[in-house]
Amino acid sequence: MTSRIEDYGIVGDLQTAALIGRDGAVDWMCLPQFDSPACFAALLGDEQHGSWRLGPESGGECTSRSYRDGTLVLETEWDLPEGRVRVIDLMPPRSGQADLVRIVEGISGNVPMTTELRLRFDYGNVVPWVTQERDGLRAVAGPDSVHIDAGVDLTAEGVADDAVHRAHFTVGPGDRVPFVLTYHASHLPIKPPVGVETALRETEEFWRSWIAKSTYDGPWADAVHRSLITLKALTYAPTGAIAAAATTSLPEEIGGSRNWDYRFCWLRDAAFTLQALVGTGFIDEARAWRAWLLRAVAGDPADLQIMYGLDGRRRLPEYTLDWLPGYEGSAPVRIGNGAAGQLQIDVWGETLDALHLAREAGLETDHEAWNLQKALLEYLEEHWDDLDNGLWEVRGPRRAFVHSRVMAWAGFDRAVRAVEEHGLEGPVERWREVRDRIHTEVCTQGFDAERNTFTQFYGSEGLDAALLLIGQVGFLPWEDPRVIGTVDAVQRELSQDGLLLRYHTHADDRVDGLPGEEATFLVCSYWLVDALHGIGRVDEAVALFERLLSLRNDLGLLSEEYDVHTGRHLGNTPQAFSHLGLVNSALRLGRGVTARDVESGVADRVAVPAAVPHTGVPAARPSTEEVA
């Protein structure tokens, strides 16, 4: 049986990642990159679908584990009657080949250890041909090849689907037994494995040097820095793209069918990502992210997608892997994402908003980039009022989603400001007129005066946590009664034990067109933190933020959702959106709250700073046609 979602840690090389459980098992790893087929896929099945356990012969979960300070080097320890032992896991940032390094270190006593290696390519579907070579094992299947260099002899056991390579050994104080898994294309010659101790030293130096660039020094620095390291670990270095998560098909409901592939890059994350990177001093990463964004959206604005492959590719066909039973029986297991073909009007606005933020942050203005933005605006001018699938990628009927139109408004607002504040050229009067027309329509048709709240879509009986962003993007000022009423309504109606659902799946005749339910969505609760702060309820915002920090696993990681009934993480992991929410909320709260305030519990006495929208620029001026 695989571990709970929250029991996994991650190591990565900035092109792919491995998930390692508290029992020392690598249960998920895709090679050579995040969205490649997995060679360890036990996460979505069992050990027969690929796993690599390295731990005490007696088995069981570790006594403790942690990352080495400021790094992505994972240490897992067992304190046993026989003695104490540590496993060190890391992936050196890739310079050519992908290497997973595992080091067994004896601390005290004499501990019997075992390793069980089950390589299964193509998501557990293909048992490779394994040969014993002078310097280790080589496993080949089609285009893929893995070489295992081990400090002990690995013995083949079993046949066919039950094939496993095992080793039994004992470590005493000071002993270090290394293992290195190296991936390379099967048609290329094998390269020597990395030097284990050199790789460990250089990997530590890389991560500590990287996080040292952070300018964040607020009261939650440890949590923020761990989230930043996690976001960096999800970065695909060759292009600068950031994967939404390292996994596919971890369920939003145990046993349900809400299982999606998140190993791609969503345009929606752009502004949140830029805010987090710029706000913490990572300008080079922000520049690389913007460059990826501009390459990805280049072309006909009518063909803009909500997501792209990490290399910018557009085709992400969705299909299922029927040989995998899914995490705890949650089927189907999906590869690719059919939502890539959906119409989501908000992404035009979010792309324009992100590029505006980059401009505000001082990243170089590119003439071609501005021409691209004008082309996006030209398309948006004709289509902002189209019915769409909304930011939550509903698979039911298209609607007039309020958030989609608010973000369309934001796109035109940023264009107006680009002309007025940055001297760029464009039809500003026409853009201003469209901006005001959208504003008037949303305030008239998207607001329920009886309930004093904006609604999920025009005429909807349901609410949507994305309505909390109305104040952040400057559509209305935080002090506007309609914003305050919306925050209150969302908090009241979408709350489960103080955390937020995205929306009620049963509302409006099952708005998303899918069976089943889901748990609270973590980034939505961070949006609530920001909204409470925006309307002046700072003590409540801090309390919610600190509760959210307590939901992280022992390594500081967050998945997509949290089930308040079982206390379990759900959804793909680690989830970039959740960690972006943590960083951006900390940045916002940190402007008015000190560490001493947090420790003394008097955050409510701190003066509320001026409201700042999620773009990090002053709130947009109200529309001239704003409806009272």
Side-chain angles (χ1 to χ4, degrees):
M1 183 176 179
T2 51
S3 299
R4 296 173 301 175
I5 293 171
E6 61 269 27
D7 285 342
Y8 285 100
I10 184 176
V11 297
D13 66 356
L14 308 184
Q15 294 192 38
T16 192
L19 266 60
I20 305 170
R22 295 180 59 86
D23 59 353
V26 180
D27 284 340
W28 183 255
M29 187 178 187
C30 298
L31 290 169
Q33 60 191 49
F34 290 105
D35 55 356
S36 299
C39 64
F40 298 127
L43 181 67
L44 300 178
D46 59 33
E47 61 184 15
Q48 296 304 321
H49 296 107
S51 178
W52 183 9
R53 193 181 84 81
L54 180 57
E57 197 166 85
S58 57
E61 293 190 347
C62 63
T63 306
S64 64
R65 62 179 181 170
S66 62
Y67 287 111
R68 290 191 176 182
D69 288 345
T71 78
L72 202 67
V73 175
L74 178 63
E75 295 188 331
T76 306
E77 295 188 5
W78 287 263
D79 199 349
L80 303 164
E82 301 91 340
R84 190 176 175 195
V85 66
R86 174 186 299 132
V87 173
I88 304 168
D89 286 300
L90 63 134
M91 293 188 74
R94 195 180 307 182
S95 59
Q97 59 192 25
D99 296 293
L100 171 61
V101 176
R102 315 194 73 185
I103 305 170
V104 180
E105 181 180 42
I107 301 173
S108 65
N110 290 283
V111 182
M113 298 289 289
T114 186
T115 185
E116 297 181 354
L117 175 69
R118 290 178 173 86
L119 278 164
R120 303 289 188 270
F121 291 111
D122 190 30
Y123 300 105
N125 190 43
V126 177
V127 179
W129 183 263
V130 181
T131 56
Q132 184 80 46
E133 301 189 351
R134 181 174 54 83
D135 54 352
L137 301 179
R138 188 187 186 200
V140 179
D144 301 307
S145 179
V146 162
H147 184 269
I148 305 292
D149 184 74
V152 294
D153 291 333
L154 294 165
T155 302
E157 300 179 17
V159 294
D161 291 347
D162 193 38
V164 58
H165 285 78
R166 286 192 176 94
H168 303 277
F169 56 100
T170 299
V171 292
D175 289 345
R176 292 171 76 85
V177 181
F179 298 81
V180 181
L181 180 153
T182 301
Y183 174 89
H184 60 92
S186 60
H187 66 279
L188 296 177
I190 299 173
K191 295 182 178 180
V194 296
V196 169
E197 300 301 334
T198 299
L200 174 59
R201 183 182 67 255
E202 292 181 350
T203 300
E204 285 192 70
E205 291 173 352
F206 170 85
W207 285 105
R208 287 179 176 146
S209 175
W210 184 82
I211 198 60
K213 295 188 296 183
S214 171
T215 58
Y216 181 84
D217 60 356
W220 302 284
D222 288 346
V224 168
H225 288 159
R226 178 50 53 192
S227 285
L228 288 169
I229 289 172
T230 304
L231 291 168
K232 181 67 172 176
L234 293 171
T235 300
Y236 183 63
T239 64
I242 299 176
T247 58
T248 179
S249 298
L250 290 181
E252 297 172 2
E253 178 186 32
I254 298 294
S257 62
R258 294 170 179 260
N259 318 315
W260 316 108
D261 195 344
Y262 274 20
R263 298 171 298 160
F264 308 116
C265 197
W266 269 253
L267 296 188
R268 180 168 296 110
D269 301 1
F272 297 102
T273 303
L274 278 168
Q275 182 195 2
L277 294 175
V278 169
T280 53
F282 291 98
I283 303 303
D284 288 342
E285 285 74 11
R287 187 176 288 111
W289 169 250
R290 185 190 65 170
W292 177 89
L293 180 65
L294 289 170
R295 291 193 302 271
V297 304
D300 187 345
D303 293 332
L304 190 70
Q305 294 187 180
I306 67 167
M307 71 180 83
Y308 296 84
L310 299 175
D311 56 3
R313 72 185 185 281
R314 292 170 170 264
R315 296 190 182 276
L316 307 173
E318 183 178 303
Y319 57 96
T320 62
L321 304 182
D322 297 332
W323 63 84
L324 285 173
Y327 180 85
E328 293 191 17
S330 304
V333 170
R334 291 183 172 92
I335 302 301
N337 201 311
Q342 287 187 349
L343 175 66
Q344 297 178 23
I345 295 297
D346 62 297
V347 298
W348 276 265
E350 281 145 354
T351 300
L352 292 161
D353 188 19
L355 295 173
H356 178 80
L357 171 59
R359 190 178 301 115
E360 290 286 304
L363 300 185
E364 306 83 2
T365 298
D366 181 272
H367 180 70
E368 289 303 317
W370 177 239
N371 285 339
L372 176 60
Q373 290 172 73
K374 289 191 291 185
L376 295 174
L377 287 158
E378 186 175 348
Y379 177 85
L380 190 59
E381 187 174 350
E382 297 296 325
H383 295 277
W384 66 265
D385 56 353
D386 287 355
L387 303 182
D388 75 333
N389 299 96
L391 86 161
W392 301 127
E393 300 169 3
V394 302
R395 301 200 175 195
R398 289 180 176 179
R399 314 272 192 168
F401 286 101
V402 169
H403 174 264
S404 293
R405 301 191 179 200
V406 166
M407 291 312 302
W409 173 91
F412 286 104
D413 178 75
R414 302 329 185 228
V416 170
R417 291 163 61 179
V419 174
E420 294 179 343
E421 300 170 10
H422 294 273
L424 298 176
E425 295 184 357
V428 66
E429 293 301 327
R430 195 173 80 227
W431 291 340
R432 187 181 291 114
E433 186 276 330
V434 177
R435 179 190 69 176
D436 293 347
R437 181 154 32 100
I438 298 172
H439 197 283
T440 298
E441 182 186 290
V442 171
C443 290
T444 303
Q445 299 187 46
F447 184 76
D448 185 334
E450 290 187 9
R451 291 189 288 165
N452 190 32
T453 182
F454 287 93
T455 58
Q456 185 172 29
F457 56 85
Y458 293 176
S460 171
E461 296 180 359
L463 297 179
D464 185 337
L467 299 171
L468 296 173
L469 301 176
I470 286 174
Q472 279 200 48
V473 302
F475 183 82
L476 287 172
W478 285 114
E479 63 269 18
D480 190 291
R482 291 165 292 185
V483 174
I484 297 172
T486 298
V487 174
D488 287 339
V490 167
Q491 186 177 25
R492 180 178 61 252
E493 296 187 25
L494 296 184
S495 176
Q496 280 192 354
D497 192 26
L499 306 179
L500 290 190
L501 300 167
R502 294 188 291 180
Y503 52 87
H504 282 298
T505 57
H506 61 265
D508 298 299
D509 195 25
R510 299 203 70 87
V511 61
D512 61 16
L514 296 167
E517 305 297 330
E518 61 180 30
T520 62
F521 206 78
L522 289 172
V523 76
C524 296
S525 296
Y526 283 111
W527 292 346
L528 180 58
V529 169
D530 301 338
L532 291 170
H533 173 269
I535 64 175
R537 287 152 57 179
V538 178
D539 56 332
E540 193 176 346
V542 171
L544 177 56
F545 181 77
E546 295 206 307
R547 183 186 174 194
L548 288 165
L549 292 185
S550 74
L551 303 183
R552 298 174 302 147
N553 74 359
D554 56 320
L555 297 174
L557 302 179
L558 290 168
S559 63
E560 181 182 29
E561 299 187 0
Y562 181 80
D563 188 337
V564 299
H565 305 296
T566 63
R568 292 186 60 178
H569 287 200
L570 291 175
N572 287 301
T573 195
Q575 176 74 212
F577 224 2
S578 299
H579 287 281
L580 286 168
L582 187 158
V583 173
N584 288 330
S585 290
L587 286 169
R588 186 167 285 104
L589 294 179
R591 297 186 181 105
V593 180
T594 67
R596 181 174 296 179
D597 294 325
V598 173
E599 293 168 2
S600 63
V602 294
D604 54 318
R605 303 175 197 167
V606 179
V608 181
V612 178
H614 85 292
T615 50
V617 295
R621 59 184 65 83
S623 165
T624 56
E625 296 182 27
E626 183 176 317
V627 178

